[in-house]
Amino acid sequence: MTLQFAQQTPDALPLHVVGSDDLDSFIETLTPAHAAWVRASVFSGAIGQSLVLPGEDGAPAAALIGYGTETARARARFVLAAAVPSLPALNFALAGGVPADKLEQECLGWLLTAYRFDRYKSQAPDGAALVSPEGVDEAHVEILANAEALTRTLINTPAADMGPAELEASARGLANAHGASMDVTVGDALLEQNFPMIHAVGRAAEQEPRLIDMRWGDEGPTLTLVGKGVCFDTGGLNLKPGGSMGLMKKDMGGSATVLGLAQIIMASGWKVRLRVLIPAVENNVSGNSFRPGDILTARNGLTVEINNTDAEGRLVLADALAYGAEENPDLMLTMATLTGAARVAVGPDIAPFYTDDAALAQALISAGPQMADPVWQMPFHAPYEAMIEPGIADLDNAPSGGFAGSITAALFLRRFAGDGRYAHFDIYGWTPVPQPARPKGGVQQGARALSMALPQVLGL
């Protein structure tokens, strides 16, 4: 699926964006017939409302879309998108009403309303299309929309069709599309090449575990993205209850997100040396499953006591992080659907991130609202380091007590990230209730904010 603006055509209908507080003054600009039509309708300018104005022949001549009040807009994202499904399947051209600083954001939301995950059912009918307004970077908005579509589709696809091999194939397709190179280490070769924790987590599954290593670009600063690729998580021998296992196809949301971010970077032609590392596994149950009480030795030599096999994501990320750190990149990022504690802290919409880099943190905090991609900085709280040190080994993969679960997971990962600049995102990757431009299902978090922040931080 390709998300794109409509072509400018003479029959594109004018679309007036009208706020609730501006409705009366807007009506005064209309013809008497259209003014009477609006007054006779239930259109109040509220978010989510639309109204088609008929021409003399009865065919649509223009349309109105509600922009709500300032208070209502402050509580919403992608305001225009709320009304797009109620518009007829025609081409529209904005005729004003959207503030200039919100125009690209609202256009992105419109494009995202066209996303459908239709692999397993008949394709839904086309919806209303938007002509790119003057002043909008059409190519940039389309790049953002299609990167989001890639991430959503990867997350939405069930594990039966998105296991480690299929995730590898998706990454390879992206690499081929942009001229990137890719190397993959599979199965027992993980042991031979010193990725013991990736192998331990994934060895019980029918599909062999693997480490995907994609590279693109030959000039500029070095950026390494590491994404959690747990294609399904049963919890291992610490088996999840059924209610907690139902959404575990999304446990590769970190890898889906870094692939979406990589698509933005490559399609935009950044002058950067990009590397994407994805440990792709399925955490399953078999006679050779890793066990509670086992002690694993990571790539960098640190030992890890396994107190819960359901805390597997940090294990596979640790080996990949250690590998990435060996090249001392200018910046390394991890994206992972890592902890329920993060959801308790900030809910499903916000992507918490951890970094000691003040410039990166400030750039992300600034970019989040501008990109309609909310993020929130969380602390690498050093006094909690003792919570991940069990005594019998260097580290504990699942500290007892239930406190600060997202922070301790982030501290765990930092032990493998080397001494360079590093940030970690603990994302949810899922929209539980449909919202404007965000249907229920997989969603990208943090990537748009990073796409705005990283050029500033890396000096691009």
Side-chain angles (χ1 to χ4, degrees):
M1 157 177 298
T2 300
L3 305 180
Q4 58 191 11
F5 288 102
Q7 296 298 310
Q8 177 70 60
T9 57
D11 61 347
L13 296 184
L15 181 66
H16 302 275
V17 179
V18 184
S20 300
D21 298 333
D22 303 319
L23 181 59
D24 290 340
S25 59
F26 173 77
I27 290 176
E28 293 177 1
T29 69
L30 298 175
T31 65
H34 281 163
W37 182 267
V38 176
R39 289 192 181 100
S41 74
V42 295
F43 184 83
S44 66
I47 293 173
Q49 286 189 330
S50 67
L51 179 67
V52 174
L53 303 181
E56 292 183 1
D57 60 356
L64 314 183
I65 197 168
Y67 206 51
T69 64
E70 184 177 351
T71 299
R73 290 192 295 273
R75 298 177 60 177
R77 268 195 285 168
F78 302 126
V79 175
L80 293 193
V84 171
S86 66
L87 290 170
L90 300 170
N91 289 354
F92 291 91
L94 285 178
V98 179
D101 63 341
K102 294 291 184 182
L103 192 54
E104 287 203 354
Q105 184 181 123
E106 296 292 5
C107 288
L108 173 63
W110 186 303
L111 294 191
L112 290 175
T113 63
Y115 174 80
R116 304 284 188 276
F117 182 61
D118 54 15
R119 176 171 177 172
Y120 302 99
K121 63 180 181 180
S122 299
Q123 187 171 358
D126 293 334
L130 180 68
V131 174
S132 178
E134 185 177 349
V136 166
D137 186 338
E138 179 177 343
H140 177 62
V141 174
E142 289 181 345
I143 285 171
L144 294 178
N146 286 291
E148 169 93 15
L150 170 65
T151 296
R152 290 182 181 184
T153 296
L154 290 173
I155 296 173
N156 285 331
T157 304
D161 294 320
M162 189 53 66
E166 290 82 9
L167 182 56
E168 174 191 335
S170 297
R172 195 174 297 280
L174 180 64
N176 291 341
H178 294 280
S181 63
M182 206 168 93
D183 181 67
V184 184
T185 306
V186 182
D188 288 343
L190 291 165
L191 294 176
E192 297 166 6
Q193 298 186 36
N194 193 25
F195 299 106
M197 294 210 293
I198 298 175
H199 184 273
V201 172
R203 69 193 182 201
E206 182 177 353
Q207 281 199 24
E208 292 182 301
R210 62 206 66 208
L211 178 64
I212 299 165
D213 187 352
M214 180 194 302
R215 295 177 186 264
W216 176 87
D218 55 10
E219 60 178 308
T222 50
L223 172 64
T224 298
L225 310 177
V226 184
K228 176 184 171 184
V230 178
C231 295
F232 194 82
D233 182 18
T234 67
L237 292 178
N238 290 113
L239 196 67
K240 292 178 183 287
S244 300
M245 206 184 297
L247 278 183
M248 283 301 99
K249 68 177 184 179
K250 78 172 186 67
D251 213 21
M252 41 65 70
S255 63
T257 302
V258 299
L259 289 173
L261 179 56
Q263 178 166 306
I264 294 172
I265 292 169
M266 294 187 290
S268 301
W270 289 15
K271 301 299 183 183
V272 68
R273 286 172 287 171
L274 174 67
R275 189 182 192 188
V276 178
L277 292 170
I278 296 173
V281 304
E282 182 175 345
N283 186 24
N284 216 322
V285 178
S286 182
N288 65 342
S289 296
F290 74 117
R291 296 163 292 257
D294 284 355
I295 295 180
L296 305 179
T297 301
R299 179 180 180 85
N300 66 355
L302 289 176
T303 55
V304 181
E305 181 180 1
I306 305 303
N307 281 315
N308 192 325
T309 62
D310 196 18
E312 83 300 327
R314 66 200 69 184
L315 302 177
V316 298
L317 287 170
D319 271 354
L321 267 172
Y323 188 40
E326 291 167 12
E327 292 191 352
N328 298 310
D330 293 305
L331 178 63
M332 188 155 56
L333 304 172
T334 44
M335 306 284 287
T337 52
L338 205 61
T339 71
R343 309 289 70 76
V344 173
V346 298
D349 289 352
I350 301 171
F353 71 92
Y354 297 81
T355 186
D356 289 323
D357 189 297
L360 176 58
Q362 188 54 53
L364 282 166
I365 290 168
S366 175
Q370 296 181 65
M371 300 301 290
D373 190 13
V375 298
W376 196 267
Q377 187 177 12
M378 299 278 278
F380 277 129
H381 188 57
Y384 290 167
E385 290 277 5
M387 296 170 64
I388 60 172
E389 297 170 344
I392 191 174
D394 295 319
L395 295 169
D396 183 339
N397 85 316
S400 60
F403 289 127
S406 182
I407 296 175
T408 55
L411 290 171
F412 182 98
L413 292 178
R414 191 172 65 166
R415 296 288 188 98
F416 300 88
D419 298 323
R421 303 168 85 184
Y422 171 61
H424 163 62
F425 281 75
D426 191 344
I427 63 174
Y428 189 49
W430 191 262
T431 299
V433 178
Q435 301 179 64
R438 289 161 291 156
K440 181 178 179 179
V443 71
Q444 188 181 85
Q445 293 181 291
R448 288 198 305 275
L450 282 164
S451 75
M452 183 176 184
L454 289 178
Q456 174 186 339
V457 171
L458 294 173
L460 302 180

